[in-house]
Amino acid sequence: MTDVYAMSHKILIVDDDPHIRQVLSFALGKAGMQTSEAGDGEAALAEIDARRPDLVVLDINMPRVDGLEVCRRLRASGDLPILFLSSRDDEVDRVVGLELGGDDYVVKPFSPREVVARVSAILKRGGRALEEAGPRGTVTHNKLRLDPEAWEARWDGEEVSVTVTEFQLLLLLASLPSKVFSRDAIIDRLHGPGFAITDRTIDSHIRNLRHKFGSLGGTDLIETRPGVGYRIGACLGQPA
C-alpha cells in the first residue's frame, strides 16, 4: 500500500551492485517514493549536487569513494539523512558510520520491506518525538533551544548542526526533562515498538551529540543513569 506521506520524497540509492539498486528502487517506488541511482561515491556526490534528494541509501563498501567518505563530505556541509547499507561482518564500519553522522543502518542481506520501513521512519522527522512533546513550539532548557518548525538546534544562541535522528532524540529528551529514558524506550518513541535497532546505535547518537555540544561548552547536555538510560542534562554549560 502506498504511503501518501512518502509520495513527495526523493531517495538516492547508492550501491555498486546494480541488482541491489534495482530491488530497492522497485520497493521504494512501490511505497510511493521517487528514486534515483548511483553506482559509486563519486557519482553519488555529483547526483546530490545536481538534484538534492531527501535521503540517501548509502552502501559502505564501494570502489573509488566509499560510503564513509561520502558521509564525511555530506556532514561537512549539511544534515542530509543517510541510511547505511553494510555487510554482516562490517561491525566496525557500521559504528564508524553512525559516529560520522549516519541516521541508521541495514545489514546485508536485507529485506526490501525493512529498508522501506527504515527510510520512512527517518523521513517522518521526529513525528513520534513531537507527539511526545505535545505543543509544537520551541523547546528551551537553559542554554539549549530546539525549534521543531525550523529543525534548528542552538546552544547559548549558537546553531549546532545535527542530523535528523540526533534532533529527534534531543527533542524527545528535552521535552520531558524529568524523565529517564531507557534505550529501548528511546527506540520505541522515535520509531515505534518492535523496531530493530541495537543499543549501540543509540549510544553512537548520544556520543555524537555530546561531542557537538561539548565543543561549545555543553558538557552537561545529556545525563547517563547507569543501568537505566539517558535523560536531558542541566544544560547550564561550563562555568565561566
Side-chain angles (χ1 to χ4, degrees), residues 60 68 86-100 200 204:
I60 289 180
L68 297 179
S86 77
S87 301
R88 189 173 299 279
D89 58 353
D90 288 337
E91 175 71 14
V92 172
D93 281 348
R94 292 200 295 272
V95 173
V96 171
L98 291 172
E99 292 180 348
L100 286 174
R200 182 168 289 186
S204 293

Side-chain angles (χ1 to χ4, degrees), residues 3-11 31-34 53-54 123:
D3 181 352
V4 175
Y5 177 84
M7 292 184 69
S8 63
H9 286 117
K10 298 176 292 184
I11 312 300
M33 304 178 202
Q34 303 173 44
D54 296 302
L123 288 173

Side-chain angles (χ1 to χ4, degrees), residues 116-138:
V116 171
R118 290 180 183 270
V119 166
S120 297
I122 295 171
L123 288 173
K124 285 179 180 176
R125 287 184 168 260
R128 291 181 181 273
L130 290 171
E131 289 170 11
E132 290 294 327
R136 300 198 176 189
T138 299

Side-chain angles (χ1 to χ4, degrees), residues 173 176-182 185 223-225 228-231:
L173 298 181
L176 297 167
S178 63
K179 184 175 179 62
V180 179
F181 289 89
S182 69
E223 177 183 334
T224 301
R225 287 298 183 92
V228 182
Y230 299 106
R231 75 174 181 183

Side-chain angles (χ1 to χ4, degrees), residues 57-176:
V57 178
L58 181 61
D59 186 31
I60 289 180
N61 292 314
M62 293 185 297
R64 303 175 73 178
V65 178
D66 67 18
L68 297 179
E69 179 59 26
V70 171
C71 182
R72 285 189 187 94
R73 296 187 192 182
L74 292 178
R75 285 293 168 261
S77 59
D79 60 357
L80 178 64
I82 297 170
L83 173 67
F84 276 114
L85 302 178
S86 77
S87 301
R88 189 173 299 279
D89 58 353
D90 288 337
E91 175 71 14
V92 172
D93 281 348
R94 292 200 295 272
V95 173
V96 171
L98 291 172
E99 292 180 348
L100 286 174
D103 291 280
D104 198 359
Y105 67 83
V106 173
V107 178
K108 298 179 181 179
F110 52 76
S111 160
R113 184 176 297 179
E114 180 185 6
V115 175
V116 171
R118 290 180 183 270
V119 166
S120 297
I122 295 171
L123 288 173
K124 285 179 180 176
R125 287 184 168 260
R128 291 181 181 273
L130 290 171
E131 289 170 11
E132 290 294 327
R136 300 198 176 189
T138 299
V139 174
T140 301
H141 183 62
N142 293 321
K143 291 189 176 183
L144 175 67
R145 183 179 183 275
L146 303 171
D147 184 348
E149 294 294 327
W151 284 89
E152 184 178 86
R154 291 185 177 273
W155 178 267
D156 202 18
E158 184 169 348
E159 185 172 359
V160 182
S161 177
V162 295
T163 69
V164 169
T165 302
E166 290 165 2
F167 187 91
Q168 290 175 282
L169 199 163
L170 197 54
L171 180 63
L172 176 64
L173 298 181
S175 298
L176 297 167

